[in-house]
Amino acid sequence: MNILTFPGMVVSSKAGWPELEKIHPAIIKIFAFLVLPLSLIPPAMLYYAGTTYGDDFVVGYGGKPWGWIAIVFFLAEMLTFAGMGWLIGQIAETNKLKIDSHDAYLLAAIAPVPLWLSAFGLFFANVAINMAISVVALACSCGLIYHGIYALCHMHEEIIAMSITYTVISAGLVAWVLLLVIVIAV
């Protein structure tokens, strides 16, 4: 797959998705070359931001144990990936759609890419900039989920695709909030 087709996948179910389905990369390969490296970005950036300008970013964050927070955050991301792949498969099955577990995990691996990349915003010690970047990343992830469901389930009805997307995004938001709670609560 060409990396240049990735932005098109956010807005179209014809850009990149059929090619990915045809290539059918192994789950272990997807994990090793996509999920693992990109999921290391947010913990690394949290550690960097917390230790570099913790109190400048949010008052009281300078003294937090950022090394432990980064490790727990990373482990939570791994659990979230596993849970989301399973959830996508279950929701599709409940709606009587055919998606094999490989494609469900493929979608679970691709959908959070914008969120993982948005962690680079932590190079800026500005909450407003980071919130704006996060909102754009979340919108892109939503687009990836919708168009991924539509393409990988070979759908013809937008309403069902929207319903599945809404459920997956709702679960994803709960997981995202739990990940943020790790940072805030520790």
Side-chain angles (χ1 to χ4, degrees):
M1 184 183 124
N2 185 343
I3 192 81
L4 297 175
T5 60
F6 190 80
M9 294 169 68
V10 172
V11 295
S12 171
S13 40
K14 295 188 183 350
W17 294 107
E19 184 182 337
L20 261 178
E21 194 173 28
K22 226 181 258 185
I23 295 170
H24 206 71
I27 294 293
I28 192 73
K29 197 172 187 180
I30 293 167
F31 182 80
F33 294 107
L34 181 68
V35 175
L36 187 59
L38 291 182
S39 64
L40 287 170
I41 296 169
M45 290 307 300
L46 280 171
Y47 181 79
Y48 167 78
T51 58
T52 304
Y53 42 75
D55 283 334
D56 294 337
F57 193 66
V58 177
V59 177
Y61 275 41
K64 287 188 172 258
W66 288 105
W68 285 109
I69 291 171
I71 291 168
V72 170
F73 195 89
F74 174 74
L75 294 173
E77 284 181 303
M78 295 298 98
L79 287 172
T80 302
F81 165 70
M84 290 305 286
W86 174 82
L87 181 68
I88 290 167
Q90 293 301 306
I91 293 169
E93 186 179 309
T94 300
N95 285 281
K96 296 176 177 45
L97 296 172
K98 291 186 179 181
I99 186 169
D100 63 13
S101 65
H102 174 275
D103 288 345
Y105 280 97
L106 176 65
L107 182 54
I110 291 173
V113 167
L115 295 170
W116 288 328
L117 294 176
S118 73
F120 284 122
L122 291 172
F123 276 124
F124 305 102
N126 186 308
V127 175
I129 288 173
N130 279 280
M131 287 177 63
I133 291 170
S134 295
V135 168
V136 170
L138 183 60
C140 290
S141 286
C142 292
L144 286 168
I145 292 168
Y146 172 75
H147 292 292
I149 292 279
Y150 201 86
L152 297 174
C153 291
H154 305 283
M155 300 189 68
H156 302 289
E157 296 198 28
E158 292 180 15
I159 300 292
I160 296 170
M162 283 186 230
S163 173
I164 294 169
T165 302
Y166 174 76
T167 306
V168 171
I169 289 170
S170 297
L173 285 173
V174 168
W176 198 33
V177 167
L178 291 174
L179 289 172
L180 293 176
V181 166
I182 291 170
V183 174
I184 294 168
V186 175

